[in-house]
Amino acid sequence: PAVNGGPREIPVGAAGPGQAVTALEKATAGTQWEITRYQDARALTEAVEDREIVGGVLVTPAGVTLYQATAAGPQATAALTAMATAVAERQHAELTVEDLAPFPEDDPRGAGFSAAALPMVFGGIIPAIALARLFPGRTGPRLAGGLLFSLTAGFAVTAVLQFGTGSLSGDYWATALGLSLGIAALAFTLLGLEALFGLPGFGIGAALMMLLANPLSGFATGPHWLPGGWSDLGQILPPGASGSLLRANAFFDGTGATGPALVLAGWAVLGAALLLTGGRLRGRREDGAEPAAS
């Protein structure tokens, strides 16, 4: 992703006189932008705040205004700013920029948000390792331990990012619960794979989460900056869904949180089902071995 990433069908909006918007569409024709027309500035800003688009350009006789949402993806915002600057230059007009969803003042580049990816991934792997070794073959303690650790880690990491570094600005409780759900989705999935397939299952699952799902999560860039197709895969894996849920809760008042929350809930339920199935199979094998031994 670092080598092949770039703008890919970034959804943006445009409003203004018909000729100006048509000229903008022709100038940005290609695979980088996906432009939608809006009637006026109000419709344009509402679309940005509702996360329908990452930004929009308003062309008026008084000048060109760019409405952006840096928290939706700083790379996409930078590319959009460059595009709007070029439009303003062609119009011989002044460019005005309004950021409708910025990162907090204490962390204007979103460094803390981007750095949350690894703690979240390790937060799912570490408890799975510990619980698998502490409670071998015991389904109940693993489920309870995974839930307790996920809640503790989710609330602790959110507290550090929001109150310690000032990297998040949303409702603390909603953000913490969302991050806890992401950690639980990872932990339960890995616990389930270990219960069903043993150490090889856990190893393959952990490797996929670290080496595939984490780079495709779009934590730092947003999904629209990833290579085509891979971004869609990344958003249905726990790290990508966790990043989208954290972004929605921390910067957009929960707008767009339903989809990733359902993805994470699905992974958590799948992991719990695998864990229960593995426990039952192990119990049957042990029951079958006892009479044979006697």
Side-chain angles (χ1 to χ4, degrees):
V3 175
N4 297 303
R8 180 191 64 86
E9 298 179 353
I10 298 177
V12 299
Q19 293 181 347
V21 175
T22 300
L24 176 62
E25 291 173 337
K26 290 181 179 179
T28 57
T31 60
Q32 292 185 340
W33 310 101
E34 189 177 276
I35 296 181
T36 301
R37 294 192 182 203
Y38 293 89
Q39 292 184 347
D40 50 30
R42 181 178 179 181
L44 200 60
T45 56
E46 288 179 350
V48 176
E49 292 170 346
D50 292 340
R51 303 190 69 188
E52 297 174 6
I53 54 178
V54 299
V57 179
L58 173 67
V59 182
T60 66
V64 177
T65 302
L66 169 63
Y67 299 100
Q68 63 185 26
T70 303
Q75 281 83 351
T77 300
L80 182 59
T81 302
M83 185 263 281
T85 301
V87 171
E89 290 177 352
R90 286 195 297 270
Q91 297 285 335
H92 301 288
E94 181 180 354
L95 175 65
T96 302
V97 179
E98 293 189 23
D99 200 337
L100 303 178
F103 286 116
E105 293 182 1
D106 291 338
D107 188 6
R109 294 177 296 177
F113 176 83
S114 301
L118 278 180
M120 188 273 300
V121 173
F122 281 118
I125 294 176
I126 291 174
I129 296 174
L131 292 169
R133 297 185 69 86
L134 288 172
F135 305 105
R138 300 177 63 184
T139 302
R142 290 189 183 192
L143 284 172
L147 179 60
L148 179 61
F149 187 94
S150 299
L151 288 171
T152 303
F155 276 80
V157 171
T158 303
V160 171
L161 291 175
Q162 186 148 348
F163 306 121
T165 64
S167 300
L168 307 179
S169 58
D171 178 76
Y172 169 74
W173 298 101
T175 305
L177 285 173
L179 192 56
S180 298
L181 178 59
I183 295 174
L186 268 167
F188 285 166
T189 299
L190 294 176
L191 282 170
L193 290 173
E194 193 279 334
L196 202 57
F197 303 109
L199 185 59
F202 175 87
I204 292 174
L208 287 175
M209 293 302 171
M210 281 294 299
L211 303 178
L212 178 68
N214 186 47
L216 295 179
S217 66
F219 244 94
T221 64
H224 296 291
W225 204 259
L226 297 173
W230 291 104
S231 61
D232 299 323
L233 174 61
Q235 291 303 294
I236 61 174
L237 296 174
S242 294
S244 294
L245 181 58
L246 181 60
R247 195 185 303 272
N249 288 329
F251 306 116
F252 292 92
D253 295 325
T255 301
T258 302
L262 290 175
V263 170
L264 293 173
W267 279 101
V269 170
L270 174 63
L274 292 176
L275 182 56
L276 292 171
T277 301
R280 291 194 186 100
L281 291 176
R282 181 180 285 107
R284 290 175 183 175
R285 288 195 296 267
E286 292 175 354
D287 290 342
E290 290 178 1
S294 61

